[in-house]
Structures are given as structure tokens and as C-alpha cells.
Amino acid sequence: MWKFYLTKQPNLLKTRFLYFLKASLVSILLWILSLSIFAQDTLKIPAASNSWKEILTKKRGKVVVLWTRLEPFIYKEIKGKDTLISGIEADLLKEFFKLVSKEYQVKIDLIWQEVPYFSLVLTLISQKKGCYVGAAAFSITEERRKSVDFFLNYLPDITVMICNEAVPLYLDTNDFYKNAHKYVAYTATGSTYEKDLLSLQSKIKKFYPQIPPFEIRYAQEAENLIDLISNNSKAFGYIDLPIYLQYYQKKYNIKRQFLFKSIREGNAFMLPKNHDWHEPIKRITNTAQFTVIKNKILKNYMGQKNLEVVYDIYGGRGEQNIIQKEKAIQDQLLLEKQLENEKQQRLWLTSVIIAISIIFVILVVLGIYYYRYYIRERDNQILRIKNEEIEQKKAEIEAQRDEIEEKNKKISEALWQIQEQKKQLEELNESKDKFFSIIAHDLRSPINSLLGFTNLLSNYADAMTKEEVKKISNDLNHSLKNVLQLIEDLLTWARSQMGRVEFNPKVIVLNEVIREELELSVILFEKKEISLKYEVQPLLMTYADPNHIKFVLRNLLTNALKFTSRKGNVWVRAYEQNNKIWVEVEDNGVGMPESLKAKLFQIGGVKSSKGTDNEQGTGLGLLLCKEFIRKNNGEIWVESEEGKGSKFIFTLNKAE
């Protein structure tokens, strides 16, 4: 990010008039720079919907969020390969518009547009018309109400003065007033921080006109204030209390001047003055559900204790709480260090005791052994030898028994593996026989056709007309395509049996996958004069491999097209039921008997058949459909009645 600072250096020898002249020139330069950046950035701002009424009418629309980084309120976060907009305000906006979409049955797309600096967000929102939202922990002030509107006052607005650890802690305001000129103040242009500093400067001038004003340095980004104050031993400035609490716990080189704080109405989002969002804002933000969501988000980013401190200070009860909290952090660090030292001491002492105990036990055992050996060696030599022989034989017997048990165990495992391998070989052999039967059956017909066509061309090409040759060539091309499709299906089925089909599941929007397949198939349906209808519930999310699902949809649509007569109908439906995603492909075609339904998804039941317009098929498509759906933790089945059509149904798990 670009970081630059505009500095006013006070000169004690110059008159007060020259000082204010210099300040005025700097302000003018800042204003010109803001207009320049604003003119450039305006060209990049995405277009939003014109109004809430338009979104409600069209059932969808765009809301552009103009924001500038200010952690923990709103910031970018990298998670893997994704860049996310996170923070208190980001999560509040996402949840608010999610509830609006659900309540009013509309689809709202949030477009996050980062703005270079704080004051530009306010300027842009005040000049925009339509569905724009400003986010950067904006304080509600009467001056800002003249140019923008505020909504969702989610947190009390408390601004505190912080300073570098090297700056003394002042317990009397007059002492600070007298010494303020020794320090440098940092702030952000157009912020309430700047307003508080200017107010403080005015008070010092009023009470101590002979003391020169303190220096003010401007940072274009409010987020840089903590770093600037932490890195300058003579720095101070105002910052939001939640930001201070967060950075203080990260052990930055900062502390708080307890005598100086500002309490305002609250932090909220900004809307253009002419907005028409009053009704949905009132309806959603006043619900108990949204209140629970808001409190959960605040606790998640701030922590329960920090949140209590903010509300206590806002209610006039918590000045002592934050002092105790800061002391508690220091005490906690000291306690942790002390506990670690005690832990190391206990560990060392325990190790010494264990070592001494082990040495003592070893010495005792050696002494007992030596005593027994010395006393009994002379009188029990023979008995000792016999005992050793008995023990040796016993050990040999135990070893042999263990060896026999181990061999028996290995034999049992080997027999079990042989039985399992035999079972698998029998199943593979059965599948192989059925597989070769399919190949023999499905390749014979197109190859015979190819032989017939080539025989005609070989023997009678000279006697044929150009139209006859063209027709035979077209038929030959069609037969070759059928053979190629059969080979591709066979290879895909073979790869699936060997586990070589790639499986890459992820969270997908099922609506988009269905739409893509329908767009690819619509020309074929129009060519056969079949009406293709679809009823898809919005925003169906599932965790599956998109290529597998596309393959299944494509095969089911091809089957429906194949076995539906001209002027027929095909329906595609998708909906959520019993915490699962259901997809149906239904036709009013020829249907099938119960005998075929029972073995439709079995390899023994694979049999190609011609469609209503003599379309060819491989017969392997439904086998692959079953393989892919089960691999994605779903089920597939068919409901059909001969002469009345068929309905193929499969389910998928709903994405968490």
C-alpha cells in the first residue's frame, strides 16, 4: 500500500498568524489531492442497482460496498488461494443481506470495492445514488448526517487517546496541556480522530495561549496510526477503543492516556441520502435473530471481555475495568513465566528423584543377587544347574509354542486372503465374461454396418450417383461415431473399475452445472421437437466432483432424448429435501418393464437399444452414472412404467 504523510512543522519564532496560514495551505493541498484521487477512483467504482424498489421488482440486484481497511472492523484475509473480506462490518453486511434475500426472495450480489483512504469513502457515498454502502467504522455525527444517512448502529463509538510507552502517563489534564507541545500527534484526514485532536488543540490554546501548539502529522490511512505511534517515542493520537484493545494484546509499544476519551452515538454503515432501504432495514435489524447474529460476530472478533469493557465505559462504569485489564495482562504474562520456571524446577527435581530411585533399586537388586549367589553357590550347585536346565527347557517350549501360534496365525491369515482373492477373482471373472459379452454384442452391429458400407463402396462406387455415395458416407460416418462412443464408454468404465478416474470434489452451485448441461443439450432437443422444461430451486449447494455430475446429467438427458418420441416432453428438476439435494430427469417416452428396471444398473443388464428415431447407444452410460454418483456419496434409481415414460432420480449431499 502507498503510505505517505503530510507534516506541519511548527516554528516557535513565527507569529500565530503565519502558523495558521501554513495550516490553511496544507489543508488546501490535501483537498486538491483528495479531489485528484477521487476523480481517478470514481472511474473504477462498479455500478450498483438504482434502488431497493428495483431489486424487489427484478428479484435480483447489486449492492456495492465502498470500504477502506481498518482492522478488526473490515480488512482482507488470505485463506489458501482465496482472498476474503473479513471483519466485524464485513460479516454484519453479509448476514444482513443474506436475511434480506431470504425474507424477500431476492438475489443480492455484494461487490466489495476497496477505497484508498478513509475520507474518500464518505465523499463517494455522499455523491452516489443507488445501492451503495460505506464501511470503515464510521462514527455517527450530526455533521455527517447532512450528507449521508446511517444505518445499523452496531457498537458504541468510544475514541481514546493512546501514546508511545516512552510518553509519561498524565494524571492531570493541565499537566498534559503544558507539555503537549513536546510531542507529535498522528491522525487521519476527515476522521473523528482529527476532530478530537483539533478540539484538544483549541482547548490548550484557550487555557495556555502562550504555549505553542503541538505538531500534527497526517496519515492517509487510519490503519497506520498504531504503527506510527508505536514507532515514535514522542507520539500520541486518538484511536477507536476496540482497535486499541486488539493491538494492546498484541504487545505493541503503546499505552492509553486515561484522562482523554470521546464517546459518541455509535459506529454504523453509511447510505446515500436518497436511499429507499428504510423498510427492509427496519424489518431485518429489529429481529431477535439478527440481534443474536450481531452479538456473536462482535464476540468473535473482539472477545467477551473486551466487549464488556466497551459497554461499561459507554455506560460510565468501566474506566477502572480497562486499567485492571491492562494490569491483568501484565500479571498474566508474569504468572505464565513464573509457572514455566516452577514447571522446569519440578521437572528437574522429578528427574533427579527418578534417577536416584533407579540407582537405589539397581544396587538393592545387585546386593540381593550377590548375597543369594554367594550363600547358595557352594551348597546348591547341582540344584541351580537343574533349575537352569528346567528353565531353559521351559523357555524353549514357550518359544516353540509361540512360534507354532504365530505360524497358525499366519496360516489363518493366508487362508483368509486366499478366500478373499478367490472371491474377487470369481467376481472379476464373472465381470470379464459379461464385459466381453457386451463388447461382442455392441461392436458386432456397427462393425457389420461398416463392412456393408465399405463393401458397397468397393464394388459399386462407380455405378453410384453422387447423392448415393454421400448418403453411404454419412451412414458410414454415423456408424464410426457409434463405434468411437462405445470405445470411449468402455475405456471410461474400465478406468473406473481400476480406480484411475480422477475424483476432485469441491463445493459447487448445482444450478450452474445443470444450466451448462441444458444449454449444451437444447439444440438436440429442438432438432427432435421435444420440449425441455426445468424447475430448479435457487442456490443449491453440494459437495461433489463437477465433472462426474455433468457426465451423469449428460447421460440421463441423452437417454430421455433417445426414448422420447417427437413432440414429447422432458422435465429436469432439482430441489432440497430431507437435508439432501434431489435431481430428477423425467420423460413421457416409451418407459420400461419391471424386468428391465431390476437389472438396469447391473453389468449383466447392460444392453444397447435403439431410440424412437433409431438412435444408437452403448448401454454402459447408466453403469458409469451409478459408479460416479456412489463415488460422490449419493444414490441413483429409476421409476418407470412401460408406455408412460421414465423418471431417473439421484441424490447428493448438501454442502455444509
Side-chain angles (χ1 to χ4, degrees):
M1 286 189 177
W2 288 94
K3 298 180 180 180
F4 60 91
Y5 312 98
L6 302 176
T7 308
K8 300 187 298 182
Q9 298 291 343
N11 191 330
L12 300 180
L13 300 179
K14 291 185 178 182
T15 63
R16 197 170 302 153
F17 171 78
L18 291 177
Y19 172 81
F20 286 108
L21 178 61
K22 187 176 181 180
S24 301
L25 289 174
V26 172
S27 299
I28 292 172
L29 287 174
L30 283 172
W31 180 75
I32 293 172
L33 181 61
S34 299
L35 287 180
S36 174
I37 297 175
F38 169 71
Q40 297 175 17
D41 288 349
T42 300
L43 300 176
K44 302 176 184 178
I45 301 299
S49 299
N50 292 324
S51 64
W52 162 247
K53 183 177 180 181
E54 180 187 6
I55 294 176
L56 199 59
T57 302
K58 294 182 178 180
K59 293 300 181 182
R60 71 177 303 151
K62 297 179 180 179
V63 175
V64 177
V65 182
L66 304 177
W67 64 280
T68 189
R69 181 182 176 91
L70 192 61
E71 194 172 350
F73 294 97
I74 188 165
Y75 55 92
K76 285 182 180 178
E77 185 179 16
I78 305 299
K79 287 191 176 180
K81 297 182 179 179
D82 298 326
T83 300
L84 306 177
I85 307 299
S86 302
I88 296 171
E89 293 193 331
D91 288 4
L92 282 173
L93 284 177
K94 292 174 187 176
E95 293 297 332
F96 171 77
F97 284 107
K98 185 188 295 184
L99 292 175
V100 170
S101 300
K102 183 178 181 181
E103 179 70 20
Y104 292 92
Q105 293 298 302
V106 297
K107 178 175 175 56
I108 297 177
D109 296 321
L110 285 181
I111 302 174
W112 303 90
Q113 177 63 50
E114 187 173 6
V115 176
Y117 55 94
F118 183 84
S119 58
L120 184 56
V121 178
L122 176 63
T123 303
L124 288 172
I125 293 296
S126 65
Q127 296 181 358
K128 288 293 182 182
K129 293 183 179 180
C131 299
Y132 292 89
V133 178
F138 280 96
S139 301
I140 301 173
T141 65
E142 291 303 320
E143 181 181 356
R144 290 174 179 172
R145 286 188 192 274
K146 296 176 183 178
S147 56
V148 297
D149 196 8
F150 290 94
F151 86 99
L152 187 55
N153 182 349
Y154 61 87
L155 188 67
D157 181 17
I158 301 174
T159 305
V160 296
M161 180 189 289
I162 65 171
C163 62
N164 189 279
E165 281 284 357
V167 177
L169 185 63
Y170 289 93
L171 303 178
D172 183 87
T173 55
N174 289 318
D175 288 343
F176 181 81
Y177 291 165
K178 294 175 184 178
N179 292 281
H181 67 281
K182 299 177 183 179
Y183 310 113
V184 177
Y186 286 97
T187 190
T189 304
S191 65
T192 52
Y193 311 152
E194 179 190 31
K195 185 176 180 181
D196 290 339
L197 273 180
L198 294 175
S199 175
L200 178 64
Q201 199 173 61
S202 177
K203 289 180 181 179
I204 296 175
K205 177 183 174 182
K206 177 180 178 181
F207 292 109
Y208 299 97
Q210 73 281 6
I211 298 178
F214 55 80
E215 179 185 352
I216 299 178
R217 296 180 183 177
Y218 286 88
Q220 188 173 346
E221 300 175 14
E223 189 187 27
N224 295 326
L225 294 177
I226 294 287
D227 288 329
L228 292 172
I229 295 172
S230 178
N231 294 326
N232 189 330
S233 62
K234 293 186 177 182
F236 73 95
Y238 282 94
I239 199 72
D240 285 311
L241 178 59
I243 299 176
Y244 164 70
L245 292 174
Q246 182 187 39
Y247 279 87
Y248 181 81
Q249 293 180 27
K250 294 179 180 178
K251 302 177 183 61
Y252 273 67
N253 189 30
I254 57 175
K255 63 183 177 183
R256 185 162 78 91
Q257 292 287 350
F258 297 102
L259 295 177
F260 302 96
K261 65 176 179 292
S262 297
I263 300 178
R264 296 181 176 85
E265 183 177 344
N267 296 116
F269 300 99
M270 295 189 303
L271 291 171
K273 266 292 186 184
N274 59 349
H275 75 89
D276 60 347
W277 285 81
H278 302 286
E279 196 275 334
I281 289 174
K282 181 178 179 182
R283 186 169 181 177
I284 298 301
T285 58
N286 288 338
T287 62
Q289 180 184 6
F290 187 77
T291 300
V292 171
I293 292 173
K294 180 187 73 172
N295 292 335
K296 183 178 179 181
I297 291 172
L298 289 173
K299 290 178 183 178
N300 182 44
Y301 284 96
M302 293 180 59
Q304 179 65 32
K305 292 184 179 179
N306 289 345
L307 192 60
E308 289 174 359
V309 168
V310 172
Y311 280 106
D312 284 345
I313 292 180
Y314 184 73
R317 303 182 299 275
E319 189 61 43
Q320 189 63 25
N321 288 352
I322 191 169
I323 298 174
Q324 294 175 353
K325 182 178 182 60
E326 293 169 349
K327 186 176 183 302
I329 292 173
Q330 297 174 353
D331 292 343
Q332 181 65 27
L333 292 174
L334 185 61
L335 179 60
E336 289 175 359
K337 185 175 181 180
Q338 182 180 352
L339 291 175
E340 182 64 24
N341 291 335
E342 292 178 357
K343 181 179 179 182
Q344 293 295 333
Q345 292 176 358
R346 287 197 301 269
L347 181 62
W348 179 84
L349 183 59
T350 302
S351 301
V352 171
I353 293 173
I354 292 174
I356 293 174
S357 300
I358 292 173
I359 293 173
F360 177 76
V361 170
I362 292 174
L363 292 174
V364 170
V365 171
L366 289 175
I368 293 173
Y369 176 79
Y370 178 77
Y371 176 77
R372 292 180 64 185
Y373 175 80
Y374 179 77
I375 297 299
R376 294 184 180 183
E377 182 65 22
R378 295 171 301 175
D379 301 328
N380 300 320
Q381 185 69 24
I382 297 175
L383 180 61
R384 184 177 64 82
I385 294 173
K386 292 296 183 181
N387 287 337
E388 288 178 355
E389 290 177 353
I390 292 172
E391 291 295 328
Q392 184 178 358
K393 291 294 183 181
K394 183 179 178 181
E396 290 175 357
I397 294 171
E398 291 289 337
Q400 290 175 356
R401 186 176 66 182
D402 292 342
E403 184 178 355
I404 293 171
E405 290 180 355
E406 184 66 23
K407 288 181 179 179
N408 289 336
K409 182 179 179 181
K410 290 181 179 179
I411 292 171
S412 299
E413 291 178 353
L415 290 174
W416 181 82
Q417 290 178 357
I418 291 171
Q419 291 175 353
E420 287 296 315
Q421 291 174 355
K422 179 182 177 183
K423 182 179 179 181
Q424 292 176 3
L425 287 173
E426 290 175 351
E427 292 176 353
L428 288 173
N429 192 46
E430 182 180 355
S431 298
K432 180 202 67 176
D433 294 341
K434 294 178 180 178
F435 188 66
F436 286 144
S437 175
I438 293 169
I439 294 174
H441 177 272
D442 285 348
L443 283 178
R444 185 184 298 113
S445 178
I447 289 176
N448 285 337
S449 297
L450 291 174
L451 289 173
F453 290 142
T454 54
N455 184 51
L456 283 174
L457 290 174
S458 175
N459 296 324
Y460 304 103
D462 295 336
M464 292 181 181
T465 64
K466 184 177 181 180
E467 287 74 13
E468 290 174 335
V469 172
K470 183 177 181 180
K471 182 179 184 305
I472 291 175
S473 298
N474 288 335
D475 292 339
L476 184 61
N477 179 267
H478 184 69
S479 295
L480 283 170
K481 286 182 178 178
N482 288 336
V483 173
L484 179 61
Q485 182 62 46
L486 175 60
I487 293 172
E488 288 180 352
D489 284 351
L490 289 173
L491 288 175
T492 303
W493 184 85
R495 285 197 301 270
S496 72
Q497 297 304 302
M498 293 185 290
R500 295 183 180 177
V501 176
E502 292 186 0
F503 181 56
N504 300 309
K506 60 182 179 180
V507 177
I508 59 173
V509 180
L510 189 61
N511 311 64
E512 297 178 0
V513 175
I514 295 175
R515 176 178 55 77
E516 290 176 7
E517 289 305 317
L518 291 178
E519 289 176 353
L520 292 173
S521 304
V522 68
I523 296 176
L524 298 175
F525 279 83
E526 290 176 352
K527 184 177 180 181
K528 198 173 178 180
E529 300 179 359
I530 293 176
S531 176
L532 180 60
K533 304 176 183 180
Y534 66 96
E535 303 169 3
V536 181
Q537 184 178 327
L539 291 177
L540 293 173
M541 308 292 288
T542 184
Y543 184 76
D545 188 316
N547 292 325
H548 289 187
I549 306 307
K550 288 180 181 179
F551 180 90
V552 174
L553 286 169
R554 188 159 54 250
N555 272 269
L556 296 184
L557 287 170
T558 301
N559 277 353
L561 177 67
K562 177 180 175 182
F563 295 106
T564 302
S565 302
R566 293 184 178 273
K567 305 295 182 180
N569 295 299
V570 173
W571 294 268
V572 179
R573 305 182 183 92
Y575 52 90
E576 179 184 342
Q577 181 175 300
N578 297 331
N579 205 32
K580 285 185 177 291
I581 306 299
W582 293 58
V583 181
E584 301 177 355
V585 178
E586 182 179 5
D587 63 69
N588 60 352
V590 299
M592 64 185 77
E594 289 293 328
S595 59
L596 179 58
K597 283 168 55 179
K599 57 184 179 179
L600 191 62
F601 293 101
Q602 302 173 6
I603 190 169
V606 173
K607 182 180 180 183
S608 63
S609 56
K610 293 185 178 181
T612 56
D613 277 4
N614 293 321
E615 298 98 331
Q616 293 291 333
T618 67
L620 286 174
L622 291 177
L623 283 178
L624 290 170
C625 288
K626 182 179 180 181
E627 290 280 344
F628 289 168
I629 291 298
R630 285 193 173 180
K631 200 170 189 66
N632 286 275
N633 298 317
E635 296 292 334
I636 185 170
W637 68 92
V638 63
E639 298 175 359
S640 180
E641 186 175 347
E642 193 169 9
K644 293 186 178 181
S646 301
K647 181 195 291 187
F648 285 84
I649 306 166
F650 66 88
T651 63
L652 297 169
N653 288 334
K654 180 181 176 183
E656 295 298 331

